[in-house]
Amino acid sequence: NVLALTGDLVTAGDQPQAKPVFDIDSVHLLKMIDNLNNGMDLSGKDIAGKTSFFSGAAVDPGADPITPQFIKFKQKIESGSRFFQTQSVFNIEILDSFMKKITQPDVRILGGVLVLKSAKMARFLNENVPGIEIDEATIHELEKDPKPPSRGIKLAVKLVREMREICHGVHIMSIGREEIVPEILKQV
């Protein structure tokens, strides 16, 4: 499997002084992978053999406006994406609305579940990570709980249960706490 991402601007990362490189974006990377899977090099010339990459890409169901996101979504499908991982979703209605607009039945969507550790983390994500929007009610739940990491796990379990009803699977982002993933899966 290959997840083709354009990535965020370097100014959003931990090395903001790095030089941005725009040689290729996710749509072009998907097309390159599709060429290799069809026995062609990057310029479309035949090569000996084929690859068998299963390519995917990212999508943000909460993008506002959503129209440019759907244009890019369709371009990624046309370029060979067979699955999508969503940006972290905290509002299940947004994901449900997005799923109802998809007309390509053979494309699989994995809902993004980010496990929150604290209200401080939630606020940081809201302020600094493009595409993430955590509502005040969720932040308040984390603030009032004496064990915020446990509350974050409970919220993740709830999201996984809800997402399983409307999309094809989930991807859990535990951000350095991979040991909690089995605990989440046991509760689902």
Side-chain angles (χ1 to χ4, degrees):
N1 296 342
V2 176
L3 180 63
L5 303 172
T6 299
D8 294 326
L9 294 174
V10 294
T11 55
D14 60 357
Q15 301 291 323
Q17 73 282 3
K19 181 182 175 195
V21 178
F22 300 103
D23 289 348
I24 190 167
D25 67 4
S26 57
V27 172
H28 292 98
L29 180 56
L30 287 163
K31 187 61 185 157
M32 289 169 56
I33 293 167
D34 192 52
N35 276 2
L36 291 170
N37 283 346
N38 288 298
M40 295 181 285
D41 69 13
L42 307 183
S43 61
K45 295 180 182 170
D46 289 339
I47 57 174
K50 297 179 181 182
T51 58
S52 58
F53 294 115
F54 191 80
S55 59
V59 66
D60 183 0
D64 186 23
I66 194 70
T67 302
Q69 190 69 203
F70 259 104
I71 291 168
K72 193 85 162 194
F73 177 73
K74 288 179 181 177
Q75 289 173 341
K76 290 175 181 180
I77 292 169
E78 290 166 3
S79 295
S81 184
R82 297 171 63 195
F83 73 94
F84 287 84
Q85 290 184 186
T86 74
Q87 175 66 279
S88 301
V89 175
F90 292 93
N91 181 331
I92 205 71
E93 288 80 24
I94 289 172
L95 180 61
D96 189 45
S97 173
F98 178 80
M99 292 299 297
K100 288 176 179 171
K101 293 175 185 163
I102 295 174
T103 58
Q104 299 82 358
D106 54 344
V107 174
R108 300 293 176 240
I109 307 294
L110 304 175
V113 178
L114 192 150
V115 187
L116 298 169
K117 288 194 261 189
S118 65
K120 181 180 177 183
M121 176 188 184
R123 284 197 175 89
F124 176 85
L125 292 168
N126 272 349
E127 293 170 10
N128 297 291
V129 180
I132 292 188
E133 189 175 319
I134 304 166
D135 62 275
E136 279 301 316
T138 299
I139 293 171
H140 183 69
E141 280 185 54
L142 289 163
E143 281 177 331
K144 71 179 184 174
D145 197 300
K147 295 181 181 176
S150 295
R151 173 59 60 182
I153 290 172
K154 288 176 187 172
L155 290 168
V157 168
K158 179 180 180 278
L159 285 170
V160 169
R161 286 179 180 154
E162 292 173 341
M163 285 181 188
R164 287 177 61 192
E165 299 297 318
I166 60 174
C167 61
H168 304 100
V170 299
H171 68 105
I172 299 171
M173 297 167 271
S174 57
I175 308 180
R177 299 186 306 152
E178 290 75 23
E179 71 280 357
I180 65 172
V181 174
E183 181 181 343
I184 292 168
L185 295 176
K186 283 179 193 172
Q187 295 182 45
V188 176

